[in-house]
Amino acid sequence: MPPESMIGRGLLGADRLIATPDGRSLRAMVAGEGDDLVVLEAGLGMSGLYWGLVHHAISPHTRVVAYERAGFGASTPDADQRDLARLADDLQTVIDAFPHRRLVLVGHSWGGPIVRTAAATRLAQGKPVTGLVLVDQSDEHAADLYTSRTARAADAVQRALMAPLARLRLLAPLIRTQAAGLPAQLLDAVVASSSTIDAAKASVAELAHVADELQRLRDHPLDLGGLLLTVISGQQHTRLDRGIRARIVQAHRDTAARHPGARFVTAERSGHLIPISEPELIASEALSLLHQRRN
């Protein structure tokens, strides 16, 4: 297979299969034109199609790419361990398939550590990165929320249940509830790509590394130099998760405070799923970083 092949039009512009060095394929969705590139990295457990509203908001202004990680939708499953290094390598493959001058990476949830890892690697290799937008990211400054004995036990239960739920077709309604707010056609596509047995296994493989990787990032921070950085943090909570949300917001503030010149931006109408509830905010911040670079 060639490094990049067109497979038709999709809900987010042109669908392309990107070949990885080990022979897998990653489905990328690209729209827009120009020398600038914005790449959207999804959180854990859902197809990159859920970026649809953000993708549509950015594409009139510059080229934008979302993609499906290994095992989701049309992307080939990966038999290797799905730690941050492996996930960032796949992201690098997608980035390199689209020639560009300026590059902004946008990562939601677990996508935040993925784009930061990829950016740090690119900077170390002398490849330019314009900026990062971290959207309610999984944050090592709240690592205890992920690494405690209780959290690890909950992760183990979740990993044990995901594939059986997919086999019983019970994963689909859970994802439909999570992604509620997307237009009907896009919601159906997200559910279909995210609720297969392969997608469930991919989520399990990624989830197995989350706690240890966040602990590692806390102990060994990534070097992002003077990269332009925006941290967007959801502010909405329920009565049950008020304390957890406060810890997460504080962690996001800590991340912004530790990076020179970083912006901390609140998503006042959103909880965790800001790409669905406030897509225009994410699009504005990503485009703003490209504009800052030009000045």
Side-chain angles (χ1 to χ4, degrees), residues 37-293:
L37 178 65
V38 177
V39 180
L40 308 172
E41 181 68 65
L44 195 152
M46 268 200 278
S47 160
L49 283 164
Y50 82 87
W51 280 112
L53 298 176
V54 178
H55 200 279
H56 291 325
I58 292 176
S59 61
H61 307 283
T62 194
R63 192 164 42 154
V64 57
V65 174
Y67 76 104
E68 294 181 312
R69 288 207 293 275
F72 288 85
S75 292
T76 311
D78 185 7
D80 207 339
Q81 64 176 0
R82 299 295 288 169
D83 57 12
L84 272 181
R86 183 70 166 177
L87 297 173
D89 283 347
D90 279 0
L91 173 56
Q92 300 267 36
T93 297
V94 173
I95 294 168
D96 290 339
F98 298 94
H100 57 273
R101 287 193 300 164
R102 302 177 182 90
L103 171 67
V104 167
L105 302 177
V106 182
H108 173 236
S109 193
W110 184 231
I114 297 172
V115 299
R116 286 188 288 136
T117 301
T121 300
R122 293 183 79 82
L123 291 173
Q125 294 171 343
K127 297 179 180 179
V129 181
T130 305
L132 302 179
V133 181
L134 308 177
V135 184
D136 216 63
Q137 75 157 357
S138 304
D139 199 303
E140 61 269 24
H141 296 114
D144 56 292
L145 294 178
Y146 305 89
T147 60
S148 69
R149 182 176 300 178
T150 300
R152 288 180 183 273
D155 282 352
V157 171
Q158 185 176 352
R159 295 200 305 271
L161 288 176
M162 287 198 72
L165 287 173
R167 290 189 182 95
L168 293 170
R169 300 184 179 179
L170 297 175
L171 187 58
L174 296 176
I175 293 170
R176 184 172 296 276
T177 298
Q178 280 186 294
L182 289 173
Q185 189 178 14
L186 189 56
L187 177 59
D188 289 344
V190 169
V191 172
S193 292
S194 307
S195 60
T196 64
I197 294 172
D198 280 343
K201 290 179 177 178
S203 297
V204 169
E206 292 184 19
L207 184 57
H209 295 280
V210 169
D212 289 340
E213 292 283 38
L214 288 176
Q215 178 97 37
R216 183 180 59 79
L217 289 176
R218 186 182 64 184
D219 296 341
H220 306 283
L222 295 168
D223 183 4
L224 297 177
L227 200 61
L228 295 171
L229 179 67
T230 298
V231 181
I232 304 177
S233 187
Q235 302 298 296
Q236 292 296 312
H237 57 78
T238 66
R239 183 178 300 177
L240 293 177
D241 70 357
R242 177 180 299 176
I244 292 174
R245 174 50 52 182
R247 285 281 292 111
I248 291 171
V249 171
Q250 185 57 54
H252 295 159
R253 289 187 182 276
D254 291 344
T255 290
R258 283 169 167 76
H259 188 84
R263 275 170 43 82
F264 175 79
V265 176
T266 58
E268 297 293 339
R269 305 195 309 271
S270 302
H272 184 56
L273 283 168
I274 305 171
I276 296 175
S277 52
E278 292 187 70
E280 70 288 344
L281 175 62
I282 299 171
S284 175
E285 291 297 328
L287 294 169
S288 175
L289 292 189
L290 291 174
H291 178 72
Q292 288 180 54
R293 191 63 171 189

